[in-house]
């Protein structure tokens, strides 16, 4: 299997050869088919991977699914780059703290674009976590963790002003302790996703 960098270069080379300045579902599917032709029938490059590579390269991408990053222009793109993380419960909580602070700043400045972008990132996070929570290739422990994270994102989207109070109560609950504590009652340190 080719390295990610090689695959990215191939996608960008195909895009340049075709003169793509804009890519919708049809163009992305055509690039996916060409990758499979060049890399072999076992190539499983997803349309969302192709869309994200193209968007990062400045191509206007008109394709959306839970794994395609939302379109962001500056200054939002730089500020929000990498803000959505949920490798484990700790990174999810840190990510929500960062996103919440940015959201409150944008809301205080009546920046509707900024607040909408933060909400769209949290929504993408919820969708991605839900997808991982039902993926049979993911370990049962990790699926429970991703379902928990998806619930966190859902609650934040519904009641951002109360979220961190709710989270503290949630982490103290019997259910949370049972699901995410080891035999000695200490918080388990989850492994990276």
């Amino acid at each position: 299997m080719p390295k990610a960098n090689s695959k990215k270069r191939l996608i960008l080379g195909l895009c340049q050869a075709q003169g793509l300045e804009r890519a919708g579902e049809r163009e992305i599917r055509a690039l996916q088919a060409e990758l499979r032709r060049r890399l072999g029938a076992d190539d499983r490059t997803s349309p969302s991977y192709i869309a994200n590579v193209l968007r990062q390269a400045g191509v206007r991408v008109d394709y959306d699914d839970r794994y395609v990053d939302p379109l962001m222009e500056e200054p939002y793109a730089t500020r929000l780059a990498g803000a959505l993380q949920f490798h484990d419960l700790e990174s999810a909580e840190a990510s929500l703290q960062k996103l919440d602070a940015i959201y409150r700043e944008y809301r205080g400045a009546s920046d509707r674009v900024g607040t909408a972008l933060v909400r769209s990132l949290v929504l993408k996070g919820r969708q991605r976590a839900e997808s991982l929570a039902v993926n049979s290739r993911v370990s049962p422990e990790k699926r429970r963790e991703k379902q928990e994270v998806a619930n966190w994102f859902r609650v934040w989207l519904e009641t951002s002003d109360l979220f961190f109070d709710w989270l503290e109560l949630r982490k103290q609950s019997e259910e949370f302790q049972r699901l995410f504590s080891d035999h000695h009652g200490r918080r388990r340190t989850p492994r990276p996703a």
Side-chain angles (χ1 to χ4, degrees), residues 25 28-29 32 45-52 55 61-71 120-121 123-125 127-128 131:
E25 184 171 357
I28 289 170
R29 295 286 181 191
Q32 184 183 34
T45 306
S46 69
S48 55
Y49 178 81
I50 295 168
N52 283 323
R55 186 168 280 162
V61 176
D62 298 318
Y63 179 82
D64 189 38
D65 71 18
R66 79 189 91 186
Y67 295 105
V68 175
D69 296 331
L71 177 63
S120 73
L121 274 178
L123 177 60
K124 291 284 184 185
Q127 292 169 337
R128 292 172 185 172
S131 178

Side-chain angles (χ1 to χ4, degrees), residues 31-97:
L31 288 170
Q32 184 183 34
E34 183 60 21
L35 284 173
R36 185 166 289 134
R37 189 183 74 71
R38 290 183 182 211
L39 300 175
D42 290 340
D43 181 64
R44 300 283 181 240
T45 306
S46 69
S48 55
Y49 178 81
I50 295 168
N52 283 323
V53 168
L54 295 177
R55 186 168 280 162
Q56 290 168 1
V59 175
R60 172 77 180 160
V61 176
D62 298 318
Y63 179 82
D64 189 38
D65 71 18
R66 79 189 91 186
Y67 295 105
V68 175
D69 296 331
L71 177 63
M72 288 186 231
E73 298 193 6
E74 292 301 339
Y76 308 107
T78 300
R79 180 118 192 250
L80 294 171
L84 178 64
Q85 302 289 325
F86 55 98
H87 305 295
D88 53 33
L89 296 174
E90 289 78 15
S91 66
E93 184 174 355
S95 182
L96 279 167
Q97 287 170 342

